[in-house]
Amino acid sequence: MNDINYKKIVKKYAPKEKKLKHAISAFLVGGALGLFSNIITTFLNKMGMSIKDATVVVLILYIFLATLFTSLGFFDDLVSKCFCGLIIPITGFAHSICSSILDYKKDGLVTGIGSNAFKLAGSVILYGVVAAFILCLIKVILYG
Amino acid sequence: MTYIYSFLFVGLVCLIAQLLFDNLNLTNGHITSIFVILGALLGFFGLYDKISYYVGSGASVPIMSFGNLLYKAAYYGYKSEGIIGIFSNMLQTTSAGITAAIIFSFICAIFSKPKN
């Protein structure tokens, strides 16, 4: 078999990347999460809760649902279907903590769960704190 | 109207993240770190407050609001307590998200068995 034929065959059987489909589903799922947070906040605000408290309640609700679905086992299927629509909202943060706890649960309470819980979420906290600290210092030096 | 704006804003953020993920071959750790730093930068330039004025509570859903809240809490701490305030106030407003994630995932992980 010559070289050109081989490349053609590889191209034929390589998995096609569905970039457009992924982008559309990420847009729709992320948008739906934003929309529902606004609807729930408005509802709680009418019940007599302040907007600030209602926002925190919505975030806690999303985190609870993400951890529940992860531990029941079907959140990973949802993530593989609409990837960034669920990773970029706060559900991705909860999912990364919960899934790394589940993965290392067999190694015991301290060496498994304790030392591996922040394996993925640690990067979010570390770079968030470092960036906020540096930007805060810049703001203090420039504007006082 | 805030409903439509929040749908469009969160959707667009997820769309940009998905395009970056597909075209640059990054892992999801890279993507979330980039967006947290981006959120802190938007907070630094004062843009995130303007966005959340139009978008409402939908602006707090993407991980970008994490960086924005960290920056705002640190600067507020500097204003009220000086340099020490940056260290003692940094995680104040984001603690709800971190605490809820730790508590719920610990409880769920204790009572469930991993699949596969």
Side-chain angles (χ1 to χ4, degrees):
Chain A
M1 197 191 295
N2 60 19
D3 215 31
I4 303 164
N5 247 339
Y6 177 72
K7 273 179 187 167
K8 263 186 188 171
I9 290 170
V10 166
K11 209 174 183 184
K12 195 177 171 188
Y13 289 103
K16 284 176 190 169
E17 291 186 44
K18 298 167 186 167
K19 284 182 186 172
L20 187 70
K21 203 182 166 192
H22 284 174
I24 291 171
S25 61
F27 178 74
L28 290 178
V29 172
L33 283 176
L35 182 66
F36 277 122
S37 98
N38 255 356
I39 290 173
I40 299 169
T41 312
T42 322
F43 176 71
L44 288 176
N45 192 29
K46 277 182 185 163
M47 303 277 280
M49 202 182 264
S50 73
I51 294 257
K52 206 177 172 186
D53 288 350
T55 309
V56 175
V57 169
V58 170
L59 288 186
I60 292 175
L61 180 72
Y62 278 176
I63 289 169
F64 174 69
L65 289 178
T67 51
L68 186 69
F69 292 165
T70 307
S71 56
L72 290 178
F74 57 84
F75 200 79
D76 286 320
D77 300 337
L78 290 178
V79 166
S80 61
K81 271 178 195 159
C82 40
F83 191 81
C84 277
L86 289 172
I87 292 293
I88 288 298
I90 196 79
T91 49
F93 183 74
H95 167 69
S96 66
I97 292 181
C98 194
S99 61
S100 49
I101 284 184
L102 284 176
D103 282 347
Y104 291 96
K105 196 185 170 189
K106 61 178 188 300
D107 294 343
L109 279 178
V110 176
T111 50
I113 292 179
S115 55
N116 289 305
F118 286 95
K119 219 170 190 186
L120 289 163
S123 68
V124 172
I125 296 178
L126 184 120
Y127 285 111
V129 168
V130 170
F133 187 74
I134 292 172
L135 288 172
C136 197
L137 282 186
I138 291 172
K139 180 112 179 175
V140 166
I141 290 167
L142 287 184
Y143 301 102
Chain B
M1 203 61 196
T2 48
Y3 293 149
I4 299 169
Y5 282 141
S6 75
F7 183 83
L8 288 178
F9 174 69
V10 185
L12 272 179
V13 171
C14 294
L15 180 69
I16 294 167
Q18 183 68 49
L19 290 179
L20 285 176
F21 180 82
D22 275 344
N23 291 318
L24 297 179
N25 290 325
L26 301 171
T27 64
N28 51 11
H30 287 105
I31 290 283
T32 44
S33 305
I34 288 170
F35 272 82
V36 166
I37 295 172
L38 196 66
L41 275 172
L42 285 177
F44 177 71
F45 291 113
L47 291 171
Y48 214 87
D49 286 339
K50 283 178 189 165
I51 291 171
S52 69
Y53 173 76
Y54 288 109
V55 173
S57 77
S60 64
V61 172
I63 199 82
M64 287 159 83
S65 80
F66 197 79
N68 170 51
L69 285 177
L70 283 173
Y71 167 75
K72 267 170 71 180
Y75 189 61
Y76 178 78
Y78 173 77
K79 284 220 156 174
S80 58
E81 294 169 39
I83 289 289
I84 307 287
I86 297 180
F87 290 92
S88 59
N89 276 19
M90 175 73 85
L91 291 167
Q92 207 175 38
T93 42
T94 47
S95 97
I98 298 175
T99 311
I102 293 173
I103 298 291
F104 289 137
S105 44
F106 187 73
I107 294 170
C108 287
I110 290 296
F111 288 109
S112 71
K113 283 175 187 171
K115 267 188 169 182
N116 76 56

